[in-house]
Amino acid sequence: QVQLVESGGGLVQAGGSLRLSCAASGRTFSSYAMGWFRQAPGKEREFVAAISWNGRTTYYADSVKGRFTISRDNAKNTVYLQMNSLKPEDTAVYYCAAKQWTYTVVLSHDYDYWGQGTQVTVSS
């Protein structure tokens, strides 16, 4: 079993920055592919960013390229999402996800574990 706990969400003004963290339980974090997704009210959950087990490969949705950065610290069992130049359309609940024993990035919803989500609200 793997537990994922997101933190760092909140209310920011457009143009501001926020860093989300996702702490994972388990002893095999270095073997997890990790990702971030988001879901706005009335909309489907959408892919935001993904990172490979060793952090060497990252992918981003076009909507966040150049503004968001995903990273990980395997020694701390934590993945991060640095969000800059935030826009009102970034408002959503953000979820981190993990797929065990995976040595590629995972861009789909095919993850084994999901966090509870953290709310990000961007005001204009």
Side-chain angles (χ1 to χ4, degrees), residues 4-122:
L4 305 174
V5 181
E6 302 97 332
S7 62
L11 174 64
V12 298
Q13 288 191 320
S17 297
L18 208 59
R19 188 178 76 161
L20 306 184
S21 298
C22 175
S25 66
R27 297 181 174 89
T28 57
F29 182 76
S30 62
S31 70
Y32 304 172
M34 300 293 297
W36 286 97
F37 292 76
R38 66 187 182 186
Q39 187 169 23
K43 295 187 177 181
E44 297 292 325
R45 186 172 298 183
E46 66 175 352
F47 168 79
V48 175
I51 190 166
S52 61
W53 71 278
N54 59 4
R56 293 182 65 185
T57 305
T58 58
Y59 285 93
Y60 300 91
D62 287 343
S63 59
V64 306
K65 280 184 179 179
R67 299 189 298 120
F68 291 11
T69 302
I70 188 171
S71 62
R72 67 192 296 161
D73 185 341
N74 286 353
K76 296 182 178 180
N77 278 24
T78 302
V79 64
Y80 305 94
L81 185 68
Q82 178 67 45
M83 305 184 294
N84 299 324
S85 302
L86 283 162
K87 305 174 181 179
E89 48 264 47
D90 295 318
T91 296
V93 176
Y94 283 71
Y95 300 88
C96 68
K99 188 171 181 65
Q100 290 183 291
W101 312 115
T102 301
Y103 302 98
T104 64
V105 293
V106 179
L107 309 183
S108 71
H109 290 72
D110 187 25
Y111 283 84
D112 299 319
Y113 300 96
W114 296 82
Q116 84 288 353
T118 185
Q119 177 71 46
V120 172
T121 302
V122 184

